[in-house]
């Protein structure tokens, strides 16, 4: 493995970690800068397509709406495997996301186990997420005690 491949793998890992850090802090405008302008973003829950957004501007509206409903985000990234082909790459990553929402006056914690299938592109000296498919595989909700 060359130093260039190792550097690219590190850059891509930092990209998905930045997505988690910025999302947890609800810095949605900064999150959008991690994506290409023509990004596609799909979300599946229990195998059903629940969101299909194209373009950074539409995605920002969608993310801002979602973030307005969440009091607290907490994200842990796990495995991240990438295949690099010059200035494009694909990756699979696994994430645990916890969200606290106020539902009928009670704090409800929803715990998500997510698998992301990503396509990345290298533009202007930087890696971006071009396409992201989120598979919410396990969803558990419970009141916070």
């Amino acid at each position: 493995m060359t130093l260039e491949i190792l550097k690219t793998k590190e850059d891509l890992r930092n990209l998905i970690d930045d997505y988690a850090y910025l999302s947890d802090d609800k810095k949605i405008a900064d999150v959008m800068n991690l994506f290409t302008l023509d990004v596609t973003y799909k979300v599946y829950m229990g195998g059903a397509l629940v969101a299909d957004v194209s373009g950074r501007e539409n995605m920002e509206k969608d993310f801002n709406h979602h973030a307005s409903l969440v009091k607290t985000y907490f994200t842990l990234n796990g495995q991240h495997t990438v295949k690099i082909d010059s200035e494009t790459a694909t990756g699979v990553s696994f994430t645990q996301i916890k969200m606290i929402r106020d539902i009928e006056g009670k704090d409800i914690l929803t715990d998500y186990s997510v698998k992301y299938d990503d396509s990345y592109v290298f533009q202007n000296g930087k890696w971006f997420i071009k396409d992201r498919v989120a598979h919410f595989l396990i969803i558990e909700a419970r009141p916070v005690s």
Side-chain angles (χ1 to χ4, degrees):
M1 192 172 303
T2 67
L3 283 176
E4 183 177 328
I5 297 267
L6 288 172
K7 171 78 169 101
T8 298
K9 285 185 172 196
E10 179 184 24
D11 290 346
L12 291 169
R13 177 57 193 229
N14 288 338
L15 179 63
I16 67 154
D17 286 344
D18 286 345
Y19 175 85
Y21 297 138
L22 294 168
S23 294
D24 283 357
D25 289 339
K26 296 185 180 185
K27 295 180 177 177
I28 305 304
D30 293 334
V31 171
M32 292 305 113
N33 291 328
L34 304 175
F35 294 93
T36 60
L37 291 173
D38 63 345
V39 62
T40 63
Y41 190 92
K42 294 182 181 182
V43 177
Y44 291 87
M45 290 187 167
L49 181 65
V50 297
D52 187 355
V53 181
S54 296
R56 195 190 289 179
E57 185 176 318
N58 292 329
M59 199 164 94
E60 185 168 6
K61 288 177 193 172
D62 193 57
F63 275 43
N64 275 318
H65 172 71
H66 189 270
S68 73
L69 304 173
V70 176
K71 290 173 71 174
T72 305
Y73 288 101
F74 184 81
T75 305
L76 293 171
N77 285 331
Q79 306 95 307
H80 183 230
T81 305
V82 295
K83 293 180 183 173
I84 302 160
D85 184 14
S86 186
E87 294 190 350
T88 62
T90 57
V92 176
S93 61
F94 294 86
T95 300
Q96 288 290 132
I97 305 170
K98 297 178 185 297
M99 295 180 197
I100 296 178
R101 296 178 183 88
D102 182 322
I103 300 176
E104 298 177 1
K106 294 182 180 176
D107 283 345
I108 303 297
L109 171 67
T110 308
D111 199 349
Y112 299 96
S113 298
V114 184
K115 174 188 169 197
Y116 291 111
D117 292 312
D118 292 329
S119 295
Y120 311 104
V121 63
F122 191 74
Q123 297 175 339
N124 301 317
K126 184 177 172 186
W127 284 98
F128 295 91
I129 302 169
K130 180 168 178 38
D131 302 298
R132 173 162 265 197
V133 179
H135 302 274
F136 285 68
L137 303 171
I138 300 170
I139 303 167
E140 179 187 9
R142 62 191 175 278
V144 176
S145 54

